């Protein structure tokens, strides 16, 4: 698919209906599905999370791929992408100083290996796509829609391609390996979320939802239809209703799984002998539309 380039286009919602009182992103919705207590830690308690090397690598690769399309089509080569790795890492560390703490001061070999590993993932990207033949319509674009009159759903697209006939393709970069079925379902949940927003705001069901697994150089394509998105919309609304009920009861229970191995909050989790912090007195009351974050989630966090 090709289209005229539109860089970092944002689509802020029109004036929200007075009935809208809450917001939900695909990451936070997936958190609640995975583990209600994780949702609480991230969205209500807002506990800090130290970025991991894997998450930082994902952030870096996403940044390089976003900037790659700033270059003229003929210049989008593996060498050009590799040349962007160092400068983009320097920019990210400047904007997010906590990333500098991933490596000990003076650990130049560790930093160099980290940058090489990011460049290797970019090689996986070029194995599955030729960016010289693409002109994305949008990159890192915030999209949003109102469903059920009360809920604002929104998220950041990695990339949106628009064909000459108007067909949409949503593309999401994954820097982890191609997952087993259960983990792939989580990734597709995120893309269906975006598809629902696009359908509700633009009247077009995306033709393709594409996951690019860079580590394994694999592509996963999925084609939703309107009936499926209607069912998914009901699922999202039901999820939010469950979140509201859990908030009213102050009852967010852990749901142990293999994903616990990567959780930052085991010290506060009863499943690991921890104790959650006191429940905030006015959970979510300060800004119910903020959904715990005003910037995209760290790309690697959902890998």
């Amino acid at each position: 698919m090709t289209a005229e380039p539109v860089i970092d286009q944002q689509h802020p919602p029109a004036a929200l209906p007075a009935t809208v009182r809450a917001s939900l992103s695909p990451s936070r919705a997936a958190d609640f599905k995975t583990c209600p207590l994780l949702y609480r830690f991230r969205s209500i308690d807002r506990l800090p999370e130290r970025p991991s090397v894997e998450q930082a690598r994902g952030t870096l690769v996403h940044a390089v791929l976003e900037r790659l399309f700033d270059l003229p089509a003929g210049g989008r080569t593996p060498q050009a992408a590799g040349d962007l790795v160092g400068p983009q890492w320097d920019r990210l560390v400047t904007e997010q100083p906590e990333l500098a703490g991933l490596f000990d001061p003076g650990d130049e070999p560790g930093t160099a290996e980290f940058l090489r590993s990011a460049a290797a993932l970019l090689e996986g990207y070029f194995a599955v796509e030729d960016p010289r033949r693409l002109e994305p319509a949008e990159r890192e674009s915030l999209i949003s829609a109102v469903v059920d009159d009360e809920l604002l759903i929104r998220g950041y697209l990695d990339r949106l391609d628009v064909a000459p006939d108007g067909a949409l393709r949503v593309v999401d970069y994954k820097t982890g390996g191609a997952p087993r079925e259960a983990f792939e379902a989580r990734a597709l949940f995120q893309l269906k979320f975006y598809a629902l927003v696009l359908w509700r705001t633009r009247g077009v069901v995306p033709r393709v939802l594409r996951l690019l697994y860079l580590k394994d150089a694999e592509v996963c394509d999925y084609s939703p239809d309107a009936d499926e998105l209607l069912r998914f919309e009901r699922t999202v609304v039901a999820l939010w209703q469950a979140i509201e009920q859990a908030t009213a009861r102050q009852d967010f229970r852990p749901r142990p799984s293999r994903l616990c191995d990567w959780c930052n909050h085991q010290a506060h989790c009863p499943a690991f002998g921890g104790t959650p912090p006191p429940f905030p007195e006015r959970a979510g009351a300060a800004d119910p539309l903020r959904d715990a974050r005003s910037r995209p989630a760290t790309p690697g966090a959902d890998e």
Side-chain angles (χ1 to χ4, degrees):
M1 295 186 178
T2 60
E4 293 300 316
V6 181
I7 307 304
D8 296 334
Q9 184 174 339
Q10 304 292 303
H11 287 273
L16 295 176
T19 53
V20 172
R21 57 190 179 84
S23 174
L24 191 64
S25 70
S27 296
R28 297 294 77 85
D31 284 346
F32 189 81
K33 279 170 56 69
T34 300
C35 174
L37 187 57
L38 176 62
Y39 174 91
R40 179 196 150 171
F41 287 155
R42 285 178 166 170
S43 295
I44 296 177
D45 299 302
R46 303 185 186 236
L47 298 182
E49 295 188 1
R50 177 182 173 85
S52 68
V53 170
E54 290 76 18
Q55 290 170 345
R57 186 183 297 114
T59 301
L60 174 57
V61 170
H62 278 72
V64 170
L65 291 175
E66 183 183 0
R67 295 278 71 85
L68 181 67
F69 286 98
D70 286 343
L71 301 176
R76 299 170 193 160
T77 64
Q79 179 64 48
D83 290 344
L84 287 169
V85 171
Q88 286 302 306
W89 177 243
D90 291 341
R91 179 183 66 80
L92 289 171
V93 169
T94 298
E95 295 176 355
Q96 305 174 44
E98 66 273 14
L99 294 177
L102 291 172
F103 304 100
D104 293 331
D107 184 10
E108 295 181 1
T111 303
E113 175 56 32
F114 169 77
L115 297 178
R116 281 194 294 271
S117 67
L121 288 172
L122 292 167
E123 293 176 4
Y125 168 72
F126 281 91
V128 295
E129 271 195 344
D130 183 353
R132 296 173 299 180
R133 302 179 62 185
L134 297 167
E135 289 296 346
E138 300 175 30
R139 291 174 274 143
E140 281 297 328
S141 178
L142 173 63
I143 59 173
S144 60
V146 175
V147 296
D148 199 40
D149 294 326
E150 295 183 335
L151 179 63
L152 178 71
I153 59 173
R154 58 187 176 184
Y156 284 85
L157 299 172
D158 281 353
R159 199 179 86 207
L160 180 66
D161 300 334
V162 182
D165 65 357
L168 304 181
R169 179 171 63 198
V170 178
V171 180
D172 197 67
Y173 306 123
K174 296 296 182 186
T175 53
R180 295 188 301 277
E181 184 176 350
F183 292 86
E184 186 171 286
R186 178 183 171 97
L188 283 175
F189 176 88
Q190 178 184 11
L191 291 189
K192 288 179 183 179
F193 206 100
Y194 299 149
L196 174 59
V197 173
L198 291 168
W199 181 43
R200 286 305 188 200
T201 55
R202 309 188 191 187
V204 178
V205 174
R207 182 177 295 171
V208 177
L209 308 179
R210 171 165 291 181
L211 294 160
L212 298 183
Y213 291 101
L214 308 187
K215 182 178 180 180
D216 296 327
E218 291 188 16
V219 178
C220 173
D221 280 348
Y222 185 82
S223 296
D225 59 36
D227 288 341
E228 181 178 11
L229 293 184
L230 275 173
R231 293 191 298 271
F232 185 76
E233 183 176 60
R234 290 195 291 268
T235 297
V236 170
V237 171
L239 264 176
W240 180 250
Q241 291 171 345
I243 290 170
E244 285 195 315
Q245 291 173 5
T247 303
R249 298 169 182 167
Q250 300 185 12
D251 184 13
F252 291 85
R253 301 183 184 184
R255 186 175 296 154
S257 71
R258 292 190 62 185
L259 292 174
C260 295
D261 294 342
W262 292 275
C263 184
N264 282 265
H265 308 301
Q266 291 183 9
H268 297 286
C269 179
F272 291 87
T275 302
F279 201 85
E281 292 184 6
R282 301 183 64 202
D287 185 1
L289 298 184
R290 186 163 173 258
D291 188 30
R293 62 190 177 93
S294 56
R295 286 291 301 149
T298 303
D302 293 329
E303 302 297 329

